[in-house]
Amino acid sequence: TLVYEMDMRSCAACAAGCSGPSPPPPGPPTPPPGPPPPPPGPPSPPGPPAGACSLAPSPSTVWPSNHGGQGQAAQAAATLPATCFLVSRFYSYDAAAPASLVSGDGTDFLSSPRGVLVIVDSKPVNLVAPPAGYKLVSNIVAAASNTALGLMSSSNDISLSIIDASGIVKSIPISDGSAASGIVLPTVSSAGGSTISYAIAADDYFYWVSVDAKVSGLRLADTISFIAAASDGTGVVAAFGSNLVYIDNAGLIQWKTAVTGPVTGLVATDTLAIATTANSTVAIVLRSGLTAWQLNGAGSCSQLPALAGDCSIVCVQTVQGSTSVISVDPKSGLLQWQTAIAGVAQDLLVDSTGNAVYAWTDGTSLQVQATSASGVTLWSTSFGGSGGRLGVVDSGQIAVLTYSPDSNIYIIGSSGTACPA
């Protein structure tokens, strides 16, 4: 069921890209900035074309990749090399506590309950274990070149840790108390693209932390499950329970709106916040908090929403026990393509051109598949393990983290074939 609840003109900027300027007030139409792109060429032969798995960030951005559900803006493409290799068995995982992998210009960071492993030139060089009495609360994210961010918690305080290849280089106290869950997200200015502050969620508290370590806090009514930064740097959307709030850079709530159930994923552009629940997808206008469109039932996303460069939404959909990866038009919510997966979705990545790489498990193996922006399967391969996560390492190569009993990190090549041991 597709439900329209307001004039769609407010979504015009989204069609131009995720990080473009806010739309002008109504007035005479202006000419487009240039000619439209050429139509797509003939279908590609089997196997991905050059750049099919281009998931690396551009050098000027803090974002490592566009993971489903993390609300990170898609970035410029970088061609995936044809070579592949395996980084074998240097870290163990707990299938019940997923690890994550992010990249920063030659230095990669892998986190799990044991701590943060620093990887330089595809080799493990330093394990940053939490200090005595502390635990790693959240999966790490890339902050800037060769650095990463994570939250650590003890029995009486929460701190933001900034990590580089030599270990923890800075720790910023956030608050008293401990956190069972946490999310940290660097936010960027629309002008220079530099990091201006960190948006942090710890249980039911939201914090802004600026580069000079000033902290402002805001308590919400329930544990915060997702945060997503507006791509123009004007604020952050936070999800808690079945509610969304928009928090500006001054730490003030601009609006609050309820959705049809607990939020399972959240992304944002410069004009829209797009949230998923178990059986609906809703797009909220950032300026007003009003609903732009809503999908209910079989046509909606269920989890792991991610944005392509044109703001198309790629996500996982589960209907009556059947699971698919789908692409949705951001202006209308209409389905663009759909491909079935035979298992439980684990992770999803989308590059700036709309190509998607996603992983699912049947409980004994992990399947990884790539699909083009037009819905054509590019490649598919499988690994041992009860589950896993996807990452993007230096030069845009795709990393696959598998859980026990396999517990490996694989770097896969452009054909999608796992590298030999």
Side-chain angles (χ1 to χ4, degrees), residues 8 10-11 14 34 244 280 285 292 307 342 366 387:
M8 288 305 303
S10 61
C11 301
C14 191
L244 299 175
S280 70
V285 180
L307 290 172
L366 183 72

Side-chain angles (χ1 to χ4, degrees), residues 139-421:
N139 287 334
I140 56 173
V141 296
S145 175
N146 297 315
T147 62
L149 302 171
L151 287 184
M152 290 190 181
S153 172
S154 72
S155 60
N156 55 17
D157 72 85
I158 305 167
S159 62
L160 171 67
S161 296
I162 302 174
I163 302 166
D164 68 6
S166 63
I168 298 176
V169 297
K170 188 174 184 180
S171 185
I172 302 174
I174 303 300
S175 71
D176 295 333
S178 62
S181 61
I183 309 168
V184 57
L185 185 69
T187 63
V188 297
S189 66
S190 57
S194 59
T195 302
I196 56 172
S197 57
Y198 307 117
I200 293 173
D203 293 337
D204 55 348
Y205 281 90
F206 176 86
Y207 301 96
W208 279 120
V209 181
S210 67
V211 291
D212 58 358
K214 292 182 180 178
V215 177
S216 62
L218 180 67
R219 190 173 189 178
L220 302 179
D222 202 348
T223 298
I224 300 169
S225 53
F226 297 93
I227 54 176
S231 57
D232 61 359
T234 56
V236 164
V237 183
F240 59 98
S242 300
N243 298 284
L244 299 175
V245 293
Y246 187 58
I247 304 169
D248 65 19
N249 290 336
L252 301 176
I253 294 178
Q254 294 299 309
W255 51 257
K256 175 183 175 182
T257 188
V259 294
T260 58
V263 175
T264 58
L266 180 66
V267 291
T269 72
D270 57 347
T271 58
L272 294 174
I274 301 163
T276 61
T277 72
N279 59 4
S280 70
T281 306
V282 60
I284 306 294
V285 180
L286 287 182
R287 287 183 174 181
S288 63
L290 299 175
T291 299
W293 52 261
Q294 180 168 326
L295 289 166
N296 297 318
S300 66
C301 298
S302 301
Q303 59 174 317
L304 296 177
L307 290 172
D310 64 352
C311 287
S312 293
I313 306 154
V314 182
C315 63
V316 172
Q317 175 195 80
T318 302
V319 179
Q320 296 180 346
S322 298
T323 303
S324 300
V325 175
I326 65 174
S327 175
V328 175
D329 185 283
K331 293 181 292 182
S332 64
L334 296 176
L335 182 69
Q336 297 183 126
W337 57 260
Q338 179 175 12
T339 184
I341 61 176
V344 179
Q346 299 288 288
D347 207 351
L348 183 152
L349 293 169
V350 181
D351 73 5
S352 61
T353 65
N355 297 310
V357 180
Y358 41 95
W360 71 93
T361 181
D362 59 6
T364 60
S365 64
L366 183 72
Q367 190 79 18
V368 181
Q369 184 163 302
T371 297
S372 73
S374 58
V376 176
T377 298
L378 300 173
W379 51 260
S380 182
T381 190
S382 62
F383 304 86
S386 57
R389 288 289 303 271
L390 301 176
V392 182
V393 296
D394 195 39
S395 301
Q397 298 177 102
I398 299 169
V400 181
L401 283 66
T402 58
Y403 299 154
S404 59
D406 189 65
S407 300
N408 267 334
I409 300 175
Y410 297 90
I411 311 298
I412 60 177
S414 60
S415 66
T417 303
C419 305

